[in-house]
Amino acid sequence: MSTSSTQSRGIDRRINSLQSNGHTARDGSRSRKRVITHNDAYLYALRVAYLTYLLQPRARRIQQAPAPQPSVQRSSTSINDLMKDFSLIRDNKSTRFPHGFMSELEKRLTGVLMGRERKPEYQDAAIKRTFAAFFNAFTEQSFKKRMEKDRRVEDLVLIFFSNATKELQKGKAPGDDSWKLMADRHLALFVRLISFVLRDHDWARDRPELAGRLTTLESKLLAHDQDLSSTPSRNGPLPGAQIETIVPLSYEVKDMSLVQVVARIFGLTNTQVQSDINKYKPVWTEKAALQDLKSYQTYLNLNSKKTLRSDDFHFDEAYDMWRKGEAQDLSQMILAIIQSNPELAKSTSGSHFPQLQRQMSSPDPVDMNYPDVLRRMSDHSERSSYVVDQPFDMSTLSSGSQSPDTSVDDDTGFTFIPPDPRAYFRFIVGQAFMHDQNDQGLQPSEATADVPGVKLLSKPTMEFLNELGLRWRIPPVSRMTLLLDIVAEKFFDQEISLDTLDTVFNFLKGQPSETKKNHNFASSLLSDRAQWTLADTALYQNTLSSLHEALMRDLYNAMQQCYESKPPSIGPIMYVLEHHVCDDPSFSKSQEDMDAFSGALHEGLQQKAHEIYRSYLEQHVPQDQHSWEFFHVIELGKAVTALAQKVQKRYKKNPEVMGVNPLTALVETILPLYAEDARDIVTRILEIAQTEGEGQEVPIEDGFQLYRELVDIRHVHGEALPGVPFPFPVEATLADFVWRWIRLTESAINDWVDQAIKQDDFRVRTDSPQQIPTEEQRHSVSVMDIFSSFNQSIDRVVQLNWDDDLQYAKFMTALAKIVGAGIARYCDVVEQRFSKEMDRLSPEQEVAASQTKQEKWLQKAKDTWNNREKIEPFQFFPESFVKLNNIDFAAQQLDKLEHEVNVDACAAVIQKHAPPVTQRQKKINNYVFTIKIVEAEDLKACDMNGSSDPYVVLGDEYQKRLAKTRIIYRNLNPRWDESVDITTQGPLNIVATVWDWDAMGDHDCVGRASLKLDPSHFGDFMPREYWLDLDSQGRILLRVSMEGERDDIQFYFGKAFRTLKRTERDMTRTITDKLSAYIHHCLSRRALRNLTSKGITMSTVSNYFNRNRLQPTTQAPTEPDIARALEPLFAYFNDNFAIMNQTLTSTAMIMVMTRLWKEVLVTIETLLVPPLSDKPSHQRQLNQQELDIVFKWLQHLFDFFHAVDEETGEANGVPLDVLRSPKYFDITTLNFFYFEPTDALIRTSERMASATAARQQQQRNRLSAPASLVSPAFGGAAGLTGLPSTRRPKSIMLSRNLGTMRKAKEEKWKEAQADPNDDMILRILRMRPEAERYLKDRSRQKERLAAAAAAEMIVRQSLMAGGGRMMGNLPRR
């Protein structure tokens, strides 16, 4: 069938049949076949098998027989008679030696003479002598030149025979003819050597006629000497020797191997087959077989219809090649029959068979040559039964055996060849194939280099089919196409499997090509198809088309089960389709048909996906709506995703099958169905839960699990269906579960913190008490526990992978607020415990507390009289230092958490989606006031020594304590610089009470002042300073700023950081306050006076209550004296530092030392100048000697705190950038102005003030905004109105992480270094009574400058209002 007719069927009709419910058998398109009966096929197969038996090599047997001494005679009367066989061949060229033969023969002769020849028959000395005589003649230049030109066998043989005869006659008597037999034997060995040279160089294959003639000549020469390597054979057989005889044929089936194969194939017994053979034995003869071959040869020569003709091939060249091969095969087959039965040659003139004349005239069959031919044929039985080594010209047989009156086109049939060989061969192949397939004992054939081992046909069956093809002249290509057609038919009828079909294709592709000189059962599919016949090409194309149709049907049926748990594999089908059918050049397919098949397959898969989803829905979701749970939706989603993942994994390497993606067909069907059903079910569950009451709420964990499942499904949906929206608004539906969880976390955060603190003993985490803790072991477990809780809370939301940036940012904002609340709670509880530990009484104080008032006064007088000023180091608890380490560790963890949450990105997303400024709600419900208790002046003295130990307590109008400062010992002008945050929703009155700390008895009240915090007065959010007069004496400075508490993640993190840093600062101050009393003692004016007066005299005791009077000095102290004065302070520091170093982290240790350094600077500054004020001071100015001592003290203290190792030069203390603070530079600049005249100082102050005013004016000019002056208020009652400060406020937004806090500190440092300041000059002028008026004028000027700066800031804020950054998508943690 042609290709066009095959493709015209179309795929639509096939697909319609595929969709039927019943199992459809394969039904490929087949051509009409000739009707052949079982018996006819059997008889033709039997006669071929029987003929093979007749022509097989005869067996030989050994028997004892007396051997008379034969007379010595030659096998031929003359050498010329032996050489006539070469002249009978028409093509003289075929009997000539090839070029280069003479040189190779010379090498081989040299090897014989030198003894290198491995053949034993050439080792005899007589042979070497005759070969040497020939070699001398052979090497003559004239003879070699003639041989190179003519290359004739006759010349070479005759010259050897001539030289051998001369050599062997030497030494013989005139009547002795024994040498003649020896000459024949030596000539035979020479001919054999020529054959060896031809075969070793592969020349015998190109010249089969020459090789055959040489073999015949050798056989004739050795008629009386068969084995040249055997000594007895050369001397003739001995009396009573053993001889070989040919075993006659038995004509029994048990001896006929191929006949037995036929019996098995057709299911007959040996007895039945034996009967048929006996019946037809007279007809099935070698003569009839020879007659078939001669008739076929005649038909072939006459181009009859009974053989293939040129019209049966695509090209004439292919026909010519086939015909040439047929002629050679026929010649060999006819020769094999004649050699098997030499009597058949008698029917032809003897002149046509000169090579057989000697054999037929021989009276002894043992002496005939044909057994040797048959023996050589048996060596090639694997390839062909009729391949012989002797070529033979059969043209005389063809012309002489056919009557000239016989018509070649008559209906006369053959004996062994059926009327329709192709049809009969196809029938028998089908019988043999199915028989071997059903044979359980069949073993795979042996693999070769060309043919793989297959389990298709047994070796006997292959030999039998090979005989059929050779006898019936069926080309190997036809055998291949017929076998494939049979296999395809069996596959259509489901009698064989797909693996068998694949095996057949591989078997046929593995067959050697026809170009090889070897006969095989079938040709290879990979052979040159231009050599095929038209019938074979059409049959092969028809077979491929039918297989394609059947395989596509099987593929459709298999793909309909691809969504099942164990679907059938489509790999074998696809492999056969792609490698054996579609990739075959003889197969052509229509793209329209393939598109139609892909569309039908896609629709079928969608229908299957819909059915599977409905089964999942019935399996996982109950019918009763009130029993619905999120679990059902989750399980349904898991089933859907599991199926999608299974299909994706199943078709990972080959996602498309015939242009159809099973995964796409699945997800585009079931995912939209699932999304819609999940949306409806979840909505209904939430409605039922809301109707039934609060106690019936869906568990939060169920909501989270559902969200994760839906997100996974949505991800699959997005990958499979890009651009198609997911029908379920997951985030909008399930966001309430996250808010519920956040509210639950908020309600439990304080309990988490309290439980963590309760279970903590605040000790370093070492394995043993003697072990020195590492930096990581110096904080306790409570701070680790609370941050573990914080991280778990945040991770819970992060792990949801929430796919709504705005909602995610709001979740993180709410969690940041919770984290801030937890940190505030932790700081509050830890600081309370820390304060309790630090405020405990010393043993001396406990003893003093039990004394009466009279005993206390008496003890105090004794201490004063004995000048007892020694202060013992404070006994710090390690737990206190661990608490400080915890606060420092909390700041580090909070900074890490801030970066992981990506606070700035969250804030940017919220800002991006925020409504315009005009639409925002401007009303702020909560306000955060930051109150900094700066300092106090002229406090009332409450102690007997004329001083006080002041601290401040802030409270509200309801007497609730809001904050408490540290204690400043023995100071009437204390400076605290401590801040506190107060959150309020409206105006609030605060009361600042200054108390005097007393170790014995109740604390004394120094004075009170009140201030109203009204948010309406801080609408510009600028800080203000208030000097509040106390109700007794003196005043206190408060710096107040306000921020609106915003629902902003940056605000919450900033508030938490500021809480940690304030707690850390307050705890550090508390520690340093325990050391500051001794600092003040060692760096006081009294210590300075003692150093300059070389000690204390009795007069100082009488003037105890007049300490400020300067004592005369007699001699300036030396450098060692000055350094020795600080040794008690250094020893005190070292004792306390040793205790701290065992527990504090390096960061906390540097922080404590830095704070102590600031305390040292404040003490030195107080020693040099009074605080800044507009009033004159009673403090006396130091003289030059005292000033020098103070600055030398400062240098010694600087080196001590820097702590440079003398050996390594490495600094182990406070860094230089911290030591060289702005206050340090202010103190060092005092040396330039300290002894300047008052007028000069005033002029310098005025010059600095003018420069400052000019800079502020330039800034205002750039802004082009009017300055709104505020009523001046520096001191007294006017200070209650409040004055905006020129300093930048420390807002919460600038403290949201360690980076922003570090940056703000650097900017503050730069500001202090950039602007020249006359504060130190004004403080010097306070000790000059004549500068009282200038101080007041300068104070009012500063007030005006501050008011202008405040107005400028208001304008700047109004210009910048409404700005904000816009950022992209929200990065996740």
Side-chain angles (χ1 to χ4, degrees), residues 701-940:
E701 187 61 33
D702 290 355
F704 288 172
Q705 291 182 2
L706 177 62
Y707 179 79
R708 283 190 288 265
E709 189 65 34
L710 291 175
V711 167
D712 291 342
I713 295 177
R714 185 172 59 188
H715 178 70
V716 176
H717 182 277
E719 289 183 345
L721 305 173
V724 179
F726 194 64
F728 190 175
V730 182
E731 282 73 22
T733 305
L734 301 179
D736 185 62
F737 288 92
V738 183
W739 288 117
R740 284 172 53 193
W741 184 81
I742 291 176
R743 290 193 295 269
L744 184 63
T745 304
E746 183 178 13
S747 63
I749 190 67
N750 288 339
D751 184 62
W752 293 352
V753 173
D754 293 342
Q755 290 298 323
I757 296 175
K758 183 179 180 180
Q759 298 176 8
D760 192 4
D761 57 0
F762 293 96
R763 296 184 182 275
V764 292
R765 296 175 290 108
T766 56
D767 298 332
S768 62
Q770 294 78 19
Q771 181 181 353
I772 299 176
T774 62
E775 289 290 317
E776 292 76 13
Q777 295 175 336
R778 295 185 180 237
H779 54 267
S780 62
V781 297
S782 60
V783 68
M784 299 171 63
D785 291 343
I786 65 169
F787 271 94
S788 177
S789 301
F790 296 158
N791 281 284
Q792 290 177 5
S793 302
I794 294 176
D795 288 342
R796 193 66 179 281
V797 177
V798 172
Q799 291 171 0
L800 291 176
N801 293 320
W802 203 262
D803 203 15
D804 188 310
D805 286 348
L806 180 60
Q807 287 185 348
Y808 177 81
K810 290 181 178 180
F811 295 156
M812 291 296 107
T813 302
L815 289 173
K817 182 178 181 181
I818 296 173
V819 170
I823 290 176
R825 176 67 177 177
Y826 184 78
C827 291
D828 184 48
V829 176
V830 170
E831 189 174 14
Q832 288 179 10
R833 293 193 174 193
F834 178 84
S835 299
K836 186 177 180 181
E837 294 167 358
M838 299 299 293
D839 291 343
R840 72 185 188 279
L841 298 177
S842 64
E844 295 80 1
Q845 291 173 342
E846 291 179 356
V847 173
S850 62
Q851 294 177 344
T852 62
K853 190 173 184 179
Q854 184 178 0
E855 290 174 343
K856 293 177 183 179
W857 279 103
L858 183 59
Q859 183 65 36
K860 197 171 190 65
K862 289 180 180 180
D863 293 341
T864 303
W865 177 261
N866 294 327
N867 193 22
R868 185 178 179 182
E869 296 287 347
K870 184 178 180 181
I871 302 176
E872 297 293 334
F874 183 80
Q875 298 297 324
F876 293 102
F877 287 164
E879 294 85 349
S880 302
F881 293 145
V882 172
K883 292 181 177 67
L884 179 59
N885 294 340
N886 286 358
I887 299 300
D888 179 62
F889 180 78
Q892 298 175 14
Q893 293 299 308
L894 185 63
D895 184 68
K896 181 180 178 182
L897 186 63
E898 191 264 352
H899 285 86
E900 291 177 350
V901 172
N902 205 344
V903 169
D904 293 339
C906 291
V909 169
I910 294 178
Q911 178 68 24
K912 178 181 178 180
H913 293 84
V917 179
T918 56
Q919 299 179 8
R920 298 180 190 174
Q921 184 180 2
K922 296 184 178 181
K923 184 179 179 181
I924 301 177
N925 295 327
N926 294 330
Y927 303 91
V928 179
F929 284 94
T930 301
I931 302 175
K932 183 173 184 179
I933 305 172
V934 184
E935 61 181 336
E937 291 183 351
D938 298 331
L939 297 181
K940 181 179 67 173

Side-chain angles (χ1 to χ4, degrees), residues 612-640 670 673-685 688 706 709-710 713:
I612 290 177
Y613 175 73
R614 287 303 169 194
S615 65
Y616 283 170
L617 188 65
E618 296 175 359
Q619 178 182 356
H620 296 288
V621 180
Q623 296 294 330
D624 186 13
Q625 296 185 3
H626 288 79
S627 60
W628 285 352
E629 296 179 1
F630 282 1
F631 172 77
H632 300 136
V633 182
I634 294 173
E635 290 300 314
L636 179 60
K638 287 181 178 179
V640 169
I670 65 174
L673 292 174
Y674 172 78
E676 295 173 0
D677 291 341
R679 177 194 60 200
D680 298 339
I681 294 173
V682 170
T683 303
R684 183 56 182 162
I685 292 174
I688 294 175
L706 177 62
E709 189 65 34
L710 291 175
I713 295 177

Side-chain angles (χ1 to χ4, degrees), residues 1329-1338 1340:
E1330 61 272 18
E1332 179 179 1
R1333 183 176 181 83
Y1334 176 76
L1335 289 174
K1336 293 182 178 180
D1337 294 340
R1338 182 71 180 95
R1340 287 193 291 270

Side-chain angles (χ1 to χ4, degrees), residues 1075-1089 1091 1122-1123 1125-1130 1133 1156-1168 1179 1182 1189-1198 1201:
L1075 310 178
S1076 60
Y1078 199 66
I1079 296 175
H1080 298 161
H1081 168 73
C1082 295
L1083 301 179
S1084 63
R1085 290 201 170 215
R1086 180 179 180 183
L1088 185 62
R1089 187 168 56 250
L1091 182 61
I1122 297 174
L1126 294 179
E1127 288 181 358
L1129 180 61
F1130 290 160
F1133 281 158
L1156 281 175
W1157 172 246
K1158 291 181 179 180
E1159 192 69 29
V1160 167
L1161 292 180
V1162 171
T1163 305
I1164 295 292
E1165 183 185 48
T1166 305
L1167 190 63
L1168 294 173
Q1179 182 173 337
L1182 302 179
I1189 293 173
V1190 170
F1191 276 102
K1192 289 179 181 179
W1193 281 354
L1194 181 61
Q1195 184 60 43
H1196 286 302
L1197 289 166
F1198 185 94
F1201 277 92

Side-chain angles (χ1 to χ4, degrees), residues 376-513:
R376 285 190 293 271
M377 290 171 55
S378 65
D379 295 337
H380 300 276
S381 60
E382 293 292 335
R383 297 174 293 170
S384 172
S385 300
Y386 305 106
V387 178
V388 296
D389 292 336
Q390 294 183 358
F392 190 71
D393 188 1
M394 306 300 296
S395 59
T396 57
L397 280 178
S398 302
S399 59
S401 61
Q402 182 69 25
S403 174
D405 299 333
T406 305
S407 175
V408 297
D409 290 330
D410 60 11
D411 295 333
T412 303
F414 298 95
T415 302
F416 291 92
I417 303 176
D420 188 352
R422 287 175 60 93
Y424 276 83
F425 185 81
R426 183 184 184 281
F427 184 90
I428 297 174
V429 168
Q431 288 288 119
F433 179 78
M434 292 310 300
H435 172 269
D436 286 356
Q437 287 297 306
N438 297 327
D439 186 3
Q440 300 298 328
L442 176 64
Q443 298 297 326
S445 63
E446 182 179 356
T448 64
D450 299 320
V451 183
V454 294
K455 190 177 180 180
L456 291 176
L457 299 171
S458 64
K459 184 178 180 180
T461 304
M462 294 282 286
E463 294 177 357
F464 167 66
L465 295 178
N466 189 27
E467 293 296 331
L468 283 183
L470 289 172
R471 181 57 55 189
W472 294 351
R473 307 313 306 150
I474 298 177
V477 173
S478 299
R479 305 176 204 173
M480 178 268 296
T481 55
L482 290 172
L483 173 61
L484 188 62
D485 186 42
I486 285 293
V487 172
E489 182 181 76
K490 302 301 181 183
F491 178 72
F492 300 150
D493 296 335
Q494 298 184 344
E495 297 182 21
I496 63 173
S497 64
L498 187 64
D499 292 338
T500 304
L501 178 63
D502 175 58
T503 304
V504 170
F505 269 109
N506 292 329
F507 169 72
L508 294 178
K509 289 181 179 180
Q511 288 291 316
S513 62

